[in-house]
Amino acid sequence: GQNIDQPTEMTATEGAIVQINCTYQTSGFNGLFWYQQHAGEAPTFLSYNVLDGLEEKGRFSSFLSRSKGYSYLLLKELQMKDSASYLCAALDYKLSFGAGTTVTVRA
Amino acid sequence: EAGVTQSPTHLIKTRGQQVTLRCSPISGHTSVYWYQQALGLGLQFLLWYDEGEERNRGNFPPRFSGRQFPNYSSELNVNALELEDSALYLCASSSRTSGYEQYFGPGTRLTVT
C-alpha cells in the first residue's frame, strides 16, 4: 500500500522561502512528483525526482532521499501567486497523492 | 498542442442516477488516468487505462467503471450515484516518451443531490 504524509498548511511572507516536506512509504518506487493546484483548478506539474539529490528549476527546487523515503519542495522568493495547494505524489505502478499542503503567502 | 480535455465541466445528478464523464488525452498519449478529488481531500486514484486496456484500479466499488477507446479517449461511468460521489473528477494522460509525467485536464465537477 501507499502512505504519503505532508503538512496540512504553511504560511509565509512574500519574498521568503518555504520548504514543504513529504514522507512516503510505497511497495515499489518509480519516482516522486510535486504538483501545484490552485483552488478550483487542475494540478499542474512542478517536478519529478527519481534519483537522490536536488533538482532545481527556477524558484522551485525538489529534493529526494530514497533511503529515507523523504522529499521536500523548496519555494524561493515567494510571490502572492504561489498561494496554492502543493501535492506530493509517489509513483509505483500508479500515482498516490498526499492530501496536499496549502501554502498561504502574505504581503 | 491541445491539452487534456474533459466534458462536461459541471454536472448535477440525483442519487441513484448514472453518469458518464469523458476525457480526451493529449495527442500521442496512450495512457489515461482517472482521479477523484472530494472537497478538502487529496486526489484518489480511480482507474488507469493504457493502450485500450484497464491496467489498474484504485480502491473504489465496481459501480465505478470505464473504458478506453481506440483513439485513446476514455469514459468514466458511475452507476447508482451516492451523495459522497460529489467531487471533482480529474483525468490525466501520459505517454511512454514523456516518461511518468501526467498532464491533467480541467476536471468535471459532479454534484449529487
Side-chain angles (χ1 to χ4, degrees):
Chain A
Q2 313 282 356
N3 192 25
I4 317 291
D5 288 316
Q6 54 182 127
T8 304
E9 294 180 343
M10 301 183 76
T11 301
T13 306
E14 199 174 12
I17 298 173
V18 68
Q19 177 174 316
I20 307 170
N21 296 322
C22 171
T23 59
Y24 64 90
Q25 290 177 305
T26 61
S27 51
F29 184 76
N30 284 307
L32 194 290
F33 288 80
W34 285 96
Y35 281 84
Q36 180 192 59
Q37 186 177 27
H38 285 98
E41 299 181 10
T44 56
F45 170 81
L46 287 178
S47 68
Y48 170 61
N49 294 68
V50 67
L51 300 175
D52 285 357
L54 186 68
E55 295 276 346
E56 296 187 79
K57 197 184 286 187
R59 295 189 297 113
F60 293 2
S61 302
S62 56
F63 172 84
L64 176 67
S65 168
R66 294 178 64 143
S67 62
K68 295 181 179 177
Y70 167 71
S71 174
Y72 68 71
L73 178 69
L74 194 69
L75 315 179
K76 294 178 280 189
E77 301 169 18
L78 280 172
Q79 302 175 9
M80 300 299 288
K81 66 179 182 180
D82 297 330
S83 291
S85 180
Y86 291 84
L87 310 175
C88 171
L91 177 69
D92 49 15
Y93 53 84
K94 61 177 175 61
L95 266 182
S96 294
F97 284 84
T101 299
T102 300
V103 171
T104 302
V105 180
R106 294 186 172 158
Chain B
E1 177 184 277
V4 177
T5 59
Q6 292 186 244
S7 62
T9 307
H10 294 87
L11 203 52
I12 299 175
K13 291 283 189 178
T14 55
R15 198 168 50 183
Q17 286 187 312
Q18 179 266 342
V19 69
T20 298
L21 311 182
R22 294 177 175 82
C23 171
S24 291
I26 291 172
S27 177
H29 286 194
T30 60
S31 278
V32 170
Y33 307 81
W34 287 95
Y35 296 90
Q36 181 196 65
Q37 187 174 36
L39 192 62
L41 299 179
L43 274 74
Q44 301 295 316
F45 168 73
L46 268 164
L47 289 159
W48 170 28
Y49 292 97
D50 181 60
E51 299 280 357
E53 294 190 12
E54 182 180 302
R55 301 296 184 180
N56 212 336
R57 66 179 292 129
N59 190 25
F60 281 83
R63 57 191 186 83
F64 286 84
S65 65
R67 55 180 173 167
Q68 187 179 34
F69 298 98
N71 67 354
Y72 303 117
S73 66
S74 176
E75 284 182 351
L76 174 68
N77 299 295
V78 187
N79 294 322
L81 283 167
E82 301 179 1
L83 296 179
E84 52 264 35
D85 297 334
S86 295
L88 179 68
Y89 289 84
L90 291 162
C91 169
S93 73
S94 71
S95 75
R96 294 185 187 163
T97 56
S98 70
Y100 294 108
E101 182 178 341
Q102 296 182 14
Y103 297 81
F104 283 83
T108 294
R109 173 72 62 187
L110 172 65
T111 302
V112 182
T113 62

